[in-house]
Amino acid sequence: MKAFRCRVCDSPLFFENSVCVSCGTALGFSRAERAIVPVDDDGRYVDAAGLVWHVCANLNLSGCTWLAPLEGGQCFSCDLTRTRPSDDDPVGLEHYPLAERSKRYLVFELDTLGFPVVGKDVDPVDGLAFDLLSSVDENVVIGHENGLITIDLAESDAAHREKVRAELAEPYRTMLGHFRHEVGHYYEWQLVRGDDVMRRCTELFGDESKDYQAEIQRHYDEGPPEGWEESYISTYATMHPFEDFAETWAHYLHIADTIETAREFGLVTVGAIGVFSAFRDVVTGVWVPLSTALNQINRSMGKDDLYPFVIPAPVLDKLDFVASLRPSGA
């Protein structure tokens, strides 16, 4: 995440700011400029090309600070949401803002890394869309299918999320983590194409033609295989090659974004991720010492480790593969 500053008074801003707390200027996020910009009393911003942008219609509903091309319309990130809680679902609406905020973080990072983000409103076949569903009256299964990602808004509730995390013996569970994992399925579907790429993917992650439902049942009946720590980033990754890829992808985004944030705030003095010849060098040279220090800082505050994972050598190979899918020139 970038370190933003107010264009009016030069005070620090954060990604979620809709108003500068120092000078009171109303703000909006310009995806095109990758900057937080001032808006006028009517919620408008005129860019350098003379185009007029407007505060997103969902500012008060979900806290969206992004700018939309049409007055009274939605921004790009909100357009990716196909389904949201109904207006008569107060619990769903309470949980909705965190999910949308996590999605905006996701889109921002994908833009940073150069991965194309195309909505199903533009490309109904290969585009991306989200169903953000309230599980108050139904059982919502988080997942991905043909570009449609389903998120259970109950995961926005910290108590619920911690309960599930403990039940599944997971070291980490966040709403942003769900988005990063599920979009990994989408990008495997989109980017792992061509004989050479698919062959290498199979070498690293295993035979994806394994019966998915049977592997899920095996995982929950038997648990992870003995010695899983030597080849996988998490127990969930051992379930099926699809899940191994998605878990690895999520960690690629975890690592890339945290390093970018640390760099923006002066905690590390390295170039952007793209200047490294191999992502494994980023992990071993930057991420391991940084995450170790951040874990110790968390412990100093009596908190759990920020990054409670160990990255074995085979996972370095997998992370390298995922990073290699980044478009050339990005």
Side-chain angles (χ1 to χ4, degrees), residues 53-58 61 64 66-82 84 96 100:
W53 296 83
H54 306 267
V55 169
C56 180
N58 295 323
L61 177 66
C64 180
W66 286 29
L67 297 178
L70 300 175
E71 186 174 6
Q74 295 188 147
C75 69
F76 176 81
S77 179
C78 288
D79 276 342
L80 293 174
T81 298
R82 189 183 76 163
R84 70 163 179 86
Y96 178 53
E100 284 289 352

Side-chain angles (χ1 to χ4, degrees), residues 21-194:
V21 297
S22 295
C23 68
T25 299
L27 306 167
F29 175 76
S30 168
R31 182 177 179 235
E33 296 182 24
R34 295 179 57 75
I36 298 175
V37 299
V39 299
D40 64 20
D41 292 341
D42 295 318
R44 298 180 305 179
Y45 169 70
V46 182
D47 66 19
L51 296 176
V52 180
W53 296 83
H54 306 267
V55 169
C56 180
N58 295 323
L59 173 61
N60 294 324
L61 177 66
S62 65
C64 180
T65 59
W66 286 29
L67 297 178
L70 300 175
E71 186 174 6
Q74 295 188 147
C75 69
F76 176 81
S77 179
C78 288
D79 276 342
L80 293 174
T81 298
R82 189 183 76 163
T83 309
R84 70 163 179 86
S86 62
D87 291 340
D88 60 357
D89 179 4
V91 175
L93 290 175
E94 179 185 356
H95 294 159
Y96 178 53
L98 177 59
E100 284 289 352
R101 185 177 73 180
S102 298
K103 175 155 64 66
R104 292 192 295 275
Y105 265 79
L106 174 69
V107 173
F108 182 88
E109 183 179 11
L110 293 172
D111 285 345
T112 299
L113 294 172
F115 290 99
V117 185
V118 179
K120 281 196 175 294
D121 55 336
V122 174
D123 186 345
V125 177
D126 290 329
L128 181 64
F130 295 84
D131 281 349
L132 308 182
L133 305 181
S134 172
S135 58
V136 173
D137 298 318
E138 59 182 319
N139 181 35
V140 177
V141 178
I142 298 173
H144 165 268
E145 184 175 8
N146 298 328
L148 178 62
I149 291 175
T150 300
I151 296 291
D152 182 4
L153 290 177
E155 292 286 326
S156 293
D157 180 74
H160 169 84
R161 194 170 60 249
E162 175 59 21
K163 177 176 180 291
V164 175
R165 188 200 66 77
E167 288 174 350
L168 298 179
E170 296 174 336
Y172 171 93
R173 190 179 184 92
T174 68
M175 180 60 84
L176 181 56
H178 286 312
F179 274 91
R180 285 173 170 165
H181 175 97
E182 296 305 330
V183 89
H185 290 301
Y186 170 73
Y187 281 105
E188 180 177 15
W189 176 55
Q190 286 296 301
L191 301 178
V192 180
R193 297 180 177 181

Side-chain angles (χ1 to χ4, degrees), residues 214-226:
E215 290 300 294
I216 288 178
Q217 193 60 50
R218 174 201 56 76
H219 177 79
Y220 286 116
D221 287 346
E222 304 174 8
E226 186 176 353

Side-chain angles (χ1 to χ4, degrees), residues 259 275-289 316 320:
I259 290 176
V275 305
F276 289 82
S277 59
F279 193 72
R280 66 189 309 118
D281 296 335
V282 177
V283 176
T284 57
V286 182
W287 179 242
V288 170
L316 282 176
D320 252 351

